[in-house]
């Protein structure tokens, strides 16, 4: 026991010691890295536009998809009196041809990366190729429909607070005598509908989509009787929303194929994912384009 010179009180011996801090950074040799097998950055590989339109059977052979097209229809009219000739007009069936489009990506993986990665880099790489393929093909499907519709610069203004879709119904019905059933929205357009509020009450104008949104099912419900589909591929195009019949756009696909070949001279493996797609704007005249109102 030690006595204080000032007060004469006893000072416990442990208070006089210099206690050393023992921390992880000084002992890194016995602290393994924390590791979790779940990988950040994996994107949803869905194709919202293609999944909500019509898929055709994959052609058995060939690269050109030929689709019959009615170019002139028969007519029917009243027979004004007995024995007068009935209305008659020649029926003409032509065709449209759509060429296959091929999409793919490839990488050269080292043997070390193939054999020593955990989780498997090969599995991850194939998944990432699949995501990229899905994003690219869904974007091209949207692009092919917008090109077929044309006149993107003169698209209708889309204002959720003063929504008017009557012209879209008329357009679809005039083209195929069938009303539209779906509204495909870009992220900006969807946000505009979520944020739209009623004057005075500030209540959501489109509770059919906001009340049912969950983490598992972010988009549900309808707008003016139309199924709502969020299509991120629309974000990069001049049209922020498309209204039309889901059967009015079709597509066929052959693939996807995962191709692998070892390269002994480099101790590696080439890994590719390839698919072939036909995009068929079946009734482009039945669709209407909209831009978000400024």
């Amino acid at each position: 026991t030690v006595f204080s010179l000032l007060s004469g009180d006893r000072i416990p011996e442990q208070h006089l010691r210099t206690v050393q801090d023992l921390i992880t950074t000084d002992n890194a040799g016995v602290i393994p890295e924390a590791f979790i097998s779940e990988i950040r950055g994996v994107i949803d590989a869905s194709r919202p536009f293609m999944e909500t339109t019509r898929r055709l059977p994959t052609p058995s052979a060939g690269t050109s998809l030929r689709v019959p097209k009615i170019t002139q229809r028969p007519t029917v009219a009243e027979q004004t009196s007995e024995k007068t000739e009935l209305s008659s007009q020649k029926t003409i069936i032509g065709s449209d041809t759509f060429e296959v489009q091929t999409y793919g990506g490839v990488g050269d993986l080292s043997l070390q990366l193939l054999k020593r990665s955990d989780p498997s880099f090969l599995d991850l790489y194939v998944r990432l190729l699949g995501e990229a393929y899905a994003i690219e093909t869904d974007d091209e499907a949207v692009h092919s429909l917008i090109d077929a519709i044309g006149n993107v610069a003169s698209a209708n203004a889309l204002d959720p607070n003063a929504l008017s879709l009557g012209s879209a119904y008329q357009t679809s019905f005039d083209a195929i005598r069938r009303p539209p059933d779906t509204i495909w929205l870009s992220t900006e357009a969807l946000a505009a509908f979520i944020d739209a509020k009623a004057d005075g009450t500030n209540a959501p104008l489109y509770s059919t989509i906001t009340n049912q949104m969950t983490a598992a099912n972010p988009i549900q419900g309808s707008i003016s009787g139309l199924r709502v589909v969020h299509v991120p591929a629309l974000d990069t195009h001049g049209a922020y929303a498309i209204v039309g019949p889901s059967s009015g756009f079709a597509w066929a696909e052959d693939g996807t194929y995962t191709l692998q070949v070892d390269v002994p001279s480099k101790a590696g493996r080439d890994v590719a994912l390839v698919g072939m797609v036909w995009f068929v704007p079946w009734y482009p005249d039945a669709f209407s384009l909209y831009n978000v109102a400024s």
Side-chain angles (χ1 to χ4, degrees), residues 172-251:
S172 183
F173 195 81
D174 287 348
I176 58 174
R177 300 188 65 80
R178 193 179 306 145
D181 58 20
T182 305
I183 180 169
W184 294 273
L185 298 175
S186 69
T187 304
E188 181 178 354
L190 177 63
F193 277 98
I194 292 173
D195 291 341
K197 302 294 191 298
D199 292 338
T201 64
N202 207 36
L205 278 179
Y206 301 95
S207 59
T208 55
I209 61 172
T210 57
N211 287 347
Q212 301 179 46
M213 293 174 65
T214 65
N217 298 292
I219 305 302
Q220 298 185 60
S222 63
I223 294 174
S224 295
L226 302 173
R227 172 182 54 168
V228 178
V229 179
H230 175 213
V231 180
L234 276 168
D235 295 351
T236 58
H237 295 281
Y240 293 92
I242 301 176
V243 175
S246 55
S247 61
F249 181 88
W251 54 278

Side-chain angles (χ1 to χ4, degrees), residues 129-148:
L129 283 175
E131 291 170 356
Y133 178 88
I135 293 169
E136 181 66 19
T137 51
D138 209 44
D139 183 80
E140 285 301 316
V142 169
H143 184 72
S144 68
L145 176 58
I146 291 177
D147 277 354

Side-chain angles (χ1 to χ4, degrees), residues 104-110 114 121-122 125 129 259-261 263 266 268-273:
V106 64
D108 185 357
L109 282 60
S110 71
L114 286 168
F121 184 84
L122 176 60
Y125 184 66
L129 283 175
L259 310 176
Q260 299 188 39
V261 59
V263 186
K266 298 170 64 177
R269 180 181 299 173
D270 287 350
V271 180
L273 184 142

